[in-house]
Amino acid sequence: MDISKFKGQLSENIVMPMLAFMEECGEDCDFTEKDVRKCEKILTEYLESLAKLSAPSDKAIMSAVKKSVLALNKLNEKTDYALLETEERENIWELIQTAAVEYGLQDADEDITEEWREW
């Protein structure tokens, strides 16, 4: 699998829009570039953990999903729930879901983040 495709989606669909929004709202923004970079790091680590699975199983993939979603919950809470707005939530969910399926998740008919997601 080509992880660079997913890293490109992360940058284009999640990180860049967050940074652009942050610039628009200026000092009134409830999150910082550091928060955006932390979000990027969480999702990059998720993608890399999937890429490293030598024998992908639903259990291993869902473990990576859970870890990432819980970390994103914590980060979003730190920003008083300002970091992950509707568009970001949808793009993050789509990235997590699509990557999980591409890396071998078999049981992915519904939102795989829903069980743990608070954003």
Side-chain angles (χ1 to χ4, degrees):
M1 313 281 153
D2 185 13
I3 193 171
S4 64
K5 171 179 91 171
F6 292 111
K7 286 185 176 182
Q9 289 175 354
L10 170 59
S11 178
E12 185 177 322
N13 298 336
I14 299 165
V15 175
M16 298 308 287
M18 287 175 152
L19 293 174
F21 177 79
M22 198 179 81
E23 278 187 36
E24 284 178 28
C25 63
E27 292 179 17
D28 294 332
C29 198
D30 292 326
F31 59 89
T32 65
E33 183 175 349
K34 184 176 178 181
D35 297 322
V36 174
R37 296 302 175 192
K38 177 66 177 170
C39 178
E40 180 180 34
K41 182 179 182 205
I42 291 166
L43 292 168
T44 298
E45 288 174 352
Y46 165 70
L47 295 171
E48 290 171 350
S49 72
L50 294 182
K52 290 178 186 174
L53 292 174
S54 58
S57 66
D58 282 6
K59 184 177 179 178
I61 293 168
M62 289 305 294
S63 176
V65 169
K66 180 179 180 180
K67 178 181 177 184
S68 301
V69 169
L70 293 177
L72 289 168
N73 288 346
K74 192 174 189 177
L75 176 62
N76 199 38
E77 181 179 4
K78 178 183 167 271
T79 65
D80 290 327
Y81 304 95
L83 182 65
L84 305 181
E85 294 294 330
T86 304
E87 187 174 333
E88 290 80 17
R89 289 192 297 258
E90 291 300 314
N91 290 335
I92 290 170
W93 166 80
E94 185 178 331
L95 177 73
I96 290 172
Q97 184 95 8
T98 304
V101 170
E102 183 132 342
Y103 280 93
L105 183 66
Q106 298 297 311
D107 186 22
D109 293 334
E110 297 184 21
D111 179 353
I112 62 172
T113 66
E114 188 174 29
E115 183 177 349
W116 309 285
R117 183 167 53 140
E118 295 174 2
W119 31 273

